[in-house]
Amino acid sequence: MAHHEISVATIQRLPLYLDYLKSVEKDIEFISATTIAFSLGLGEVQVRKDLASVSSSGKPKIGYNIHELISQLEDALGYHHVNNAIIVGAGKLGCALLGYEGFCRSGLEILAAFDSDQTKAGQYESGKPIYTVDALPDFCRDKEVRIGIITVPGEHAQKVCDLLVEAGILAIWNFAPVRLDIPKNIIVKNENMASSLAVLSTSLAKKLREA
Amino acid sequence: MAHHEISVATIQRLPLYLDYLKSVEKDIEFISATTIAFSLGLGEVQVRKDLASVSSSGKPKIGYNIHELISQLEDALGYHHVNNAIIVGAGKLGCALLGYEGFCRSGLEILAAFDSDQTKAGQYESGKPIYTVDALPDFCRDKEVRIGIITVPGEHAQKVCDLLVEAGILAIWNFAPVRLDIPKNIIVKNENMASSLAVLSTSLAKKLREA
DNA sequence: TAGATTGTTAATCGATTAACAATC
DNA sequence: TAGATTGTTAATCGATTAACAATC
């Protein structure tokens, strides 16, 4: 199977399929796109098309071998390939992410957190060490850290971003409510609470208007 | 200006414009879509089209009155209209959200958190009280809570969701990594870390393949 | 008047959905 | 063979981008 590009929309749904399949893998050996679609509330053609982008082992009348499909999904998502990451900003959100169980199953290995607050340095959170920001550049180079997660307040995000880029990071997952100015060969994924809330509250406002 | 529907893609960008405008409102009185587009790294036609969905007060050659535009954006986003909300799950993520400054500016008023852990009950986090889940239904009805934010582990999310619906909530912001089964007159916004991470790590894998 | 800027109409692009052929 | 299911090809839908007319 060639490395044809998988669309972003599809990629976002792949973890959903994976979670679902894992929740039923004990019980059955084969599963159809129809069943998956129904369970997740998606269109069955969409599911089939999504699965076709990672697998070509579906069999008419039978469906997909569930273990094989799980492995193909994990492969496509890069879960078998570990990426070292660090978090900058050991506030509440940073610590919440440090303790997030799901990440290790996804190949994301968060090695440590960094914070400008000297008093936090030396402490541990969810078993992960917290260092001062000064130690960041050397740490990143030594450990071949590829992903930087930014959970500092908006006003410090750009500075931290520059520091990460300087330290040779390849991708940034940004939780600060700021658009980062960044070389375009670096990958950025913005996690934008304000955008999500905007969608939620305009839907709600519309609903209240109609009622 | 009629209540023509604003597209989801546009709505997600509106908070971006709002933040940017607020950061420059002190300095100038009028601003052009061209300037905004350049500052945010967006296409200028896109900005103009987005702004057209909330404003019709742009003037050729001059641009938009910045204060008026801010107010129109806030209006469209419902920031002037307060929505009472609660958080279920006073773990790290829940507490991080409780302390998030940005929400009050967006009309989201988080009144309290609820947790099944009895020992957390009675405590305060970021000035907000934590109660036991038993108190949830009465609280929601008394305070006319419209939005429920779910930050419990995946396995408890559906139970909490049912409880919230039962208590008369209208919209759910779900941070648990689970697809919720929910009456379709209730609004749901899923905040899906796994999807975001999937996009990030597949981009990174592609980049490493090419390099 | 000339030129910058708005806002609209048409063209392109991408993703979803529908129709259908292939196959176990 | 018949029918369920896959996977592909075409149609639809929505969002972005490009072209252009309107206007201060």
Side-chain angles (χ1 to χ4, degrees):
Chain A
M1 188 180 26
H3 271 135
H4 60 124
E5 300 287 312
I6 307 177
S7 80
V8 173
T10 295
I11 288 170
Q12 291 182 320
R13 283 187 295 268
L14 296 185
L16 219 66
Y17 301 135
L18 187 54
D19 279 351
Y20 171 70
L21 292 173
K22 282 186 170 172
S23 77
V24 297
E25 74 174 317
K26 298 287 185 318
D27 311 325
I28 45 176
E29 192 177 356
F30 287 91
I31 192 164
S32 73
T34 318
T35 307
I36 298 173
F38 180 79
S39 303
L40 296 175
L42 300 174
E44 63 172 296
V45 183
Q46 183 170 67
V47 172
R48 222 170 272 133
K49 206 153 199 181
D50 285 345
L51 295 183
S53 70
V54 303
S55 170
S56 53
S57 55
K59 291 197 179 46
K61 172 102 187 214
I62 295 171
Y64 303 81
N65 177 297
I66 200 164
H67 296 296
E68 193 178 7
L69 189 53
I70 285 175
S71 170
Q72 288 163 331
L73 282 166
E74 289 180 337
D75 238 28
L77 288 167
Y79 283 12
H80 296 311
H81 182 79
V82 173
N83 282 311
N84 287 340
I86 56 162
I87 290 180
V88 189
K92 283 173 198 150
L93 180 57
C95 290
L97 294 176
L98 267 184
Y100 202 71
E101 306 287 337
F103 288 150
C104 56
R105 278 187 285 116
S106 324
L108 185 74
E109 177 84 37
I110 301 179
L111 301 175
F114 294 83
D115 201 290
S116 59
D117 182 349
Q118 304 284 338
T119 66
K120 285 182 183 162
Q123 295 186 16
Y124 281 75
E125 179 71 40
S126 300
K128 306 286 172 68
I130 302 175
Y131 302 117
T132 63
V133 183
D134 311 325
L136 191 150
D138 286 343
F139 187 94
C140 287
R141 276 182 274 263
D142 287 355
K143 307 281 187 180
E144 293 191 321
V145 175
R146 287 180 174 142
I147 299 176
I149 303 173
I150 299 180
T151 55
V152 299
E155 59 269 34
H156 300 127
Q158 184 62 56
K159 205 173 48 201
V160 166
C161 172
D162 295 343
L163 188 66
L164 287 168
V165 172
E166 181 62 28
I169 228 120
L170 299 177
I172 285 180
W173 198 3
N174 176 37
F175 287 79
V178 180
R179 175 137 303 214
L180 298 172
D181 189 12
I182 197 168
K184 67 175 180 308
N185 61 324
I186 306 287
I187 295 159
V188 191
K189 179 82 181 96
N190 290 296
E191 209 61 35
N192 201 331
M193 300 282 198
S195 290
S196 298
L197 180 58
V199 175
L200 189 74
S201 61
T202 52
S203 311
L204 183 56
K206 177 167 170 261
K207 185 179 172 162
L208 292 170
R209 246 189 349 258
E210 286 167 356
Chain B
M1 189 182 21
H3 271 137
H4 58 125
E5 300 287 312
I6 307 178
S7 80
V8 172
T10 295
I11 288 170
Q12 291 182 320
R13 283 188 296 268
L14 297 185
L16 219 65
Y17 301 136
L18 187 54
D19 278 351
Y20 171 70
L21 292 173
K22 282 186 170 172
S23 77
V24 297
E25 74 175 320
K26 298 287 186 317
D27 310 326
I28 45 176
E29 191 177 356
F30 287 91
I31 192 164
S32 73
T34 318
T35 306
I36 297 174
F38 180 79
S39 304
L40 295 176
L42 300 173
E44 62 173 297
V45 183
Q46 184 170 67
V47 173
R48 220 169 273 131
K49 206 153 198 182
D50 285 346
L51 296 184
S53 71
V54 303
S55 169
S56 53
S57 56
K59 290 196 180 47
K61 172 102 186 209
I62 295 171
Y64 302 81
N65 177 297
I66 200 165
H67 296 296
E68 194 178 5
L69 188 53
I70 285 175
S71 170
Q72 288 164 332
L73 282 166
E74 288 181 336
D75 238 28
L77 289 167
Y79 283 11
H80 297 310
H81 183 80
V82 173
N83 282 312
N84 287 340
I86 57 161
I87 290 179
V88 189
K92 283 173 197 149
L93 180 57
C95 290
L97 294 176
L98 267 183
Y100 202 70
E101 305 287 337
F103 289 150
C104 55
R105 279 187 283 115
S106 323
L108 186 74
E109 178 84 38
I110 301 179
L111 301 175
F114 294 83
D115 201 290
S116 58
D117 182 349
Q118 304 283 339
T119 65
K120 285 182 182 164
Q123 295 186 16
Y124 280 75
E125 179 70 40
S126 300
K128 306 286 172 67
I130 302 175
Y131 302 117
T132 62
V133 183
D134 312 325
L136 191 150
D138 286 343
F139 187 94
C140 287
R141 276 183 273 262
D142 286 356
K143 308 280 187 181
E144 293 191 321
V145 175
R146 288 180 174 141
I147 298 176
I149 303 171
I150 299 181
T151 56
V152 299
E155 59 269 32
H156 300 127
Q158 184 62 55
K159 206 173 46 199
V160 167
C161 172
D162 295 342
L163 188 66
L164 287 167
V165 171
E166 181 61 29
I169 228 120
L170 300 178
I172 285 180
W173 197 2
N174 177 36
F175 287 80
V178 181
R179 175 136 303 213
L180 299 171
D181 189 13
I182 196 168
K184 67 175 179 308
N185 60 324
I186 305 287
I187 295 159
V188 192
K189 179 81 181 98
N190 290 297
E191 208 62 35
N192 201 330
M193 300 283 198
S195 290
S196 297
L197 179 58
V199 175
L200 189 74
S201 62
T202 52
S203 311
L204 184 55
K206 178 168 170 259
K207 184 179 170 162
L208 293 170
R209 247 190 346 258
E210 287 168 353

